[in-house]
Amino acid sequence: MARFSSSLLRHVRLQAGTQAPPQRLTGSDLFNGHVGIPVMLVYPQGFDVVRAERALREVLRGYPVITGRLRKGSDGHAFIDCNDAGIDFRVHACAGPLPTYGIERPMGRDLRRYFKPFLPWRIVGRDVPLLQVDVWRFEDGGIVLSCYGTHSVFDGISFWQFMSDWSAACRGEAVPLRAFDRKVLTDIVADRPVPQEAGLLYDPSMPERIGLFARLGWQALQLRKAVLRVPASLVQRWKDEARAAGDATAGVSSSDLVAAFCLQQFSPLMPPQHERSVGIVLDLRARRRLRIPRDYFGNALGYGEGRCTTQEVASLSLPELALRCRPTAAQLAHDALSDLLALLDHHRAQKSVWRLFMRPAGETLRAGFILNNCVNFPMYRIDLGQGGPAWYDICGVAFRMLMVVSTPEGDGGLDLHLSARPAEIEAVRRAIAAQSAAPASSAALNGARPSGALSPA
């Protein structure tokens, strides 16, 4: 990490001037925890910081949960006190020019420079802002925008909705009051029987739990974070192969295809005796029967899983394998998702959400990874007055995970934010290079096994 020099120019608590009724955290909120997630947006062209601060203050009027504080009630349950205590907004002056962050130079360990972390167990009952915004302005006018907030208040869908509203406020547009009433989730499970398990969430025994977290901690020491680009031409080739293979595979998404591609590279490096697992993060707002508002600000996540054998990974074509990297119909059924929310709410009421564990996270210890499809997130459309960012980055995680993001150019290519072992990252990197350089297979486009055949590294 190169030498870094900066000075704090401005630190203010931004308040919105609005308050709202307290919001008790849901089981889904608590399951995601009070961990902070730093998000970085890089603006080489910079932006008007005064204008952005004014717009941020305005947009906070529609988000009273963000300017509140986490408290614990007399009944011991955590809630958001929407008291408008404010968020932290800081502006820093940095020596030298903005580093040329991008696909050739991801932020890597530089991420640590740009955010001030908080400890999850030191946020409830304290004056800790639920969102911190830092503007790091370099001598050439370039800016790194760092946003750091607690996951128990919002998920990724909610966060990017907020950022889009901030962008709209910079353009002078009015920002509506968003749906943040947590009762919308608890009402779904009112009077619903509580299942012993709910799909992929379960309550492991204490010895199993200790073993899982110990092994996840050991695994975290071995993982690295990389950003790899799949060019638009290769993504298009895979889509053409999927359409040529028949009606069953014609509808697979680019995210499904990327997950299958990475699974082909990972599989030879994984223990052969275990089934391969792809855990999938789901947005419950998209399930119409649950009737969760599309603009709900909070955590509304579900979980799915695709499974296949080692032999299937080796023998199936890329489009066929992509079908296996999707949640099953049973996992997406209304009753299954309602059971998931009922189990989470039951453990919230018992103050035992900490006991629940997601099976696919455990599978990353054997032969699996988590897929987080962020292709439709608007990170490159967050225009704070002088155009959108040229680069987005985020930290790695403590388990094998694939986050799929559109490229800054929006050209149909994909950036893979990959947390994995170095050998696994290198296998994916080499396979992307090999397939990008190889001509499209005419046999593949006629429905035979496509160019994924050369992928295992």
Side-chain angles (χ1 to χ4, degrees), residues 311-324:
Q311 293 75 20
E312 287 171 330
V313 175
S315 62
L316 293 176
S317 69
L318 187 69
E320 291 168 335
L321 187 58
L323 288 174
R324 307 297 291 274

Side-chain angles (χ1 to χ4, degrees), residues 9-32:
L9 298 180
R10 177 171 170 77
H11 179 193
V12 62
R13 283 275 169 95
L14 291 184
Q15 294 171 288
T18 58
Q19 299 187 19
Q23 296 295 314
R24 186 174 63 188
L25 294 184
T26 68
S28 185
D29 291 329
L30 293 168
F31 182 71
N32 286 288

Side-chain angles (χ1 to χ4, degrees), residues 165-331:
D165 282 350
W166 184 9
S167 178
C170 280
R171 300 192 299 270
E173 300 175 14
V175 177
L177 184 68
R178 297 298 186 176
F180 57 85
D181 189 347
R182 263 56 179 174
K183 280 184 85 281
V184 38
L185 288 190
T186 55
D187 286 349
I188 293 172
V189 298
D191 302 323
R192 188 176 184 87
V194 179
Q196 290 296 315
E197 293 188 15
L200 302 173
L201 287 187
Y202 76 112
D203 181 4
S205 66
M206 186 58 72
E208 182 183 359
R209 183 180 297 107
I210 292 173
L212 284 168
F213 280 99
R215 293 168 63 198
L216 284 169
W218 173 247
Q219 176 180 254
L221 298 176
Q222 306 171 55
L223 300 184
R224 300 294 181 267
K225 161 76 188 301
V227 187
L228 309 178
R229 177 159 295 176
V230 182
S233 58
L234 183 53
V235 175
Q236 188 58 52
R237 185 194 305 174
W238 290 344
K239 289 182 176 180
D240 291 341
E241 291 170 351
R243 282 192 290 269
D247 293 341
T249 60
V252 294
S253 68
S254 56
S255 178
D256 298 330
L257 290 163
V258 165
F261 174 77
C262 288
L263 187 58
Q264 287 179 331
Q265 316 320 313
F266 290 162
S267 188
L269 304 173
M270 292 173 167
Q273 68 273 24
H274 297 298
E275 271 196 320
R276 282 27 183 163
S277 163
V278 178
I280 301 140
V281 181
L282 306 173
D283 177 16
L284 298 185
R285 301 168 185 82
R287 314 311 299 180
R288 293 183 179 179
R289 290 187 62 192
L290 291 176
R291 297 184 179 179
I292 301 173
R294 293 294 297 184
D295 66 344
Y296 172 70
F297 190 83
N299 285 277
L301 301 178
Y303 310 97
E305 184 185 37
R307 298 185 73 91
C308 53
T309 65
T310 308
Q311 293 75 20
E312 287 171 330
V313 175
S315 62
L316 293 176
S317 69
L318 187 69
E320 291 168 335
L321 187 58
L323 288 174
R324 307 297 291 274
C325 295
R326 290 174 151 187
T328 66
Q331 292 166 1

